[in-house]
Amino acid sequence: MKSVLLITTGGTIASVQGAEGLRPGYSSAELLRFVEGLNAYYRIDTQELLNLDSSNIQVDEWIAIARAIHAALPKYDGVVVTHGTDTMAYTASMVSFMLQGLKKPVVFTGSQMPIDNLLTDARNNLYTAFAAVGCGIPGVTVAFNRRIIPGCRAVKVRSMGFEAFESVNAGDLGRVFADGLRPLCAIPGDPDSPVALRDRVCREVFLLKLVPGINPDVLCMLRRMRYRGIVIEAFGAGGMQFVRTNLLEHLRVLTEAGIAVVVCSQCLYEGSSLGLYEVGQKLLSCGVIPARDMTTEAAVTKLMWALGQTDDARRVAEIFNTSYCGEITPEG
Ligand code: ASP
């Protein structure tokens, strides 16, 4: 029988109706009582780490979650983490970077509806998450709506529907069919390799979504605010205005000052390709780092993580060129 640690952090899955709307209320033991049947298949311990709506999950909570998982890994076959869906993609991406060399399953899950509602998706999502540990699907993943999604590729795409998450620019790692959970990835023979906890992160990272005609002063303001890293969601394959108001000049000042600027796309699918258009090539010549086909969530957390490992902007660019957990599709 596989042993699993269930770490709970709050979210809708554990929520109850309060005077001001839904808020996390159920403890980890109470949560487990809604899926008691699981005890027949897995040896389960629980750890109530946090009880927060995921809008309140920030850098300190990412570190606490990564540390709790890291401490549990030698003792369990895998870890299931329940988490609010709103920022789950950020947490799953960050934890993917923090736990280097991970081969055991670490599965994030949650639900769109509280577990005590008869129509809830919570029970199925929990069963799927435990099945992912049962199958040994490696690394950080998100189990949702009968799919196992790589943690660093997960994006929340719906605020109400049960198909809330998609695996962006990468395939699922497993899916539930009528004959059970089918892994769609290689399962490591020896999942016990050592996992390095790299939990130093830089908090001074900003995400800027361009709008047509954006005032370039915003870039000067970010410099004055001492941000060390900026992710820019540029247009399409990666474009930015240089006619009349020239954003590029302002951007060059930032990169020359040693601020790491990463460019990704506002399009959900297929990522940026800065070499394609004149507007993109001009951006590249300003010293920006292409995020290629990374999700915005992965690009932001990777930049925070990279700047936690090094102060050297060239080293940050090298880190962005390296796929640590499948967050970028290899070129060619
Ligand atoms: N607001 C909730 C949260 O992210 C939404 C959910 O869990 O589905 O904690």
Side-chain angles (χ1 to χ4, degrees):
M1 197 184 257
K2 294 225 170 164
S3 58
V4 184
L5 178 65
L6 172 66
I7 297 176
T8 58
T9 72
T12 293
I13 191 166
S15 283
V16 293
Q17 193 67 46
E20 295 176 300
L22 288 171
R23 58 165 178 77
Y26 287 121
S27 68
S28 49
E30 286 170 325
L31 212 55
L32 200 55
R33 242 173 265 139
F34 285 95
V35 282
E36 254 174 5
L38 278 172
N39 286 307
Y41 298 90
Y42 306 93
R43 189 176 66 68
I44 307 171
D45 290 330
T46 58
Q47 180 179 357
E48 194 174 309
L49 187 65
L50 306 164
N51 219 353
L52 294 172
D53 187 292
S54 75
S55 298
N56 278 317
I57 291 206
Q58 303 161 48
V59 173
D60 291 338
E61 286 75 23
W62 292 339
I63 295 170
I65 292 169
R67 287 183 182 174
I69 296 168
H70 186 254
L73 284 170
K75 295 175 251 162
Y76 295 91
D77 293 303
V79 178
V80 171
V81 184
T82 56
H83 190 291
T85 61
D86 293 343
T87 67
M88 190 190 293
Y90 284 95
T91 306
S93 290
M94 182 55 101
V95 171
S96 306
F97 298 123
M98 286 179 169
L99 297 177
Q100 294 280 310
L102 176 69
K103 289 210 186 111
K104 279 188 180 173
V106 170
V107 194
F108 282 80
T109 196
S111 66
Q112 292 282 69
M113 199 183 251
I115 200 161
D116 60 8
N117 191 305
L118 289 180
L119 296 175
T120 189
D121 51 333
R123 282 191 285 267
N124 253 315
N125 289 342
L126 274 170
Y127 294 141
T128 305
F130 275 80
V133 176
C135 292
I137 293 179
V140 177
T141 56
V142 169
F144 221 89
N145 199 34
R146 300 174 193 266
R147 296 166 70 177
I148 309 298
I149 294 169
C152 58
R153 296 290 198 165
V155 175
K156 184 173 181 184
V157 294
R158 285 189 178 77
S159 57
M160 295 288 166
F162 289 155
E163 327 83 312
F165 284 88
E166 278 186 24
S167 179
V168 169
N169 301 330
D172 292 342
L173 299 179
R175 267 193 198 198
V176 179
F177 291 91
D179 56 354
L181 175 61
R182 278 191 217 158
L184 302 171
C185 59
I187 306 296
D190 174 18
D192 276 310
S193 53
V195 178
L197 175 68
R198 298 248 155 79
D199 61 0
R200 279 192 50 190
V201 300
C202 166
R203 295 160 197 248
E204 291 80 41
V205 168
F206 194 85
L207 170 63
L208 177 67
K209 180 170 186 161
L210 296 187
V211 293
I214 190 169
N215 185 338
D217 285 350
V218 78
L219 294 176
C220 311
M221 181 197 72
L222 294 177
R223 186 173 171 212
R224 279 200 304 277
M225 290 178 76
R226 302 192 179 281
Y227 277 101
R228 289 181 55 210
I230 302 170
V231 176
I232 298 185
E233 267 196 4
F235 302 120
M240 194 180 280
Q241 83 214 29
F242 63 85
V243 171
R244 284 200 302 283
T245 45
N246 188 348
L247 271 182
L248 300 173
E249 280 167 8
H250 293 75
L251 207 54
R252 197 185 294 277
V253 174
L254 298 191
T255 57
E256 283 174 358
I259 297 171
V261 180
V262 171
V263 174
C264 62
S265 173
Q266 293 186 6
C267 300
L268 179 59
Y269 296 109
E270 296 162 6
S272 56
S273 181
L274 298 185
L276 190 58
Y277 291 96
E278 182 191 15
V279 282
Q281 290 204 15
K282 282 192 189 298
L283 249 174
L284 269 179
S285 71
C286 293
V288 302
I289 302 168
R292 292 161 48 184
D293 69 341
M294 251 181 268
T295 65
T296 296
E297 290 84 340
V300 167
T301 52
K302 191 172 182 178
L303 185 55
M304 295 172 103
W305 182 77
L307 287 168
Q309 316 305 304
T310 180
D311 292 329
D312 177 358
R314 258 180 326 184
R315 178 74 194 117
V316 173
E318 278 166 26
I319 290 175
F320 264 81
N321 247 329
T322 309
S323 179
Y324 286 83
C325 46
E327 74 277 14
I328 31 177
T329 305
E331 264 165 0

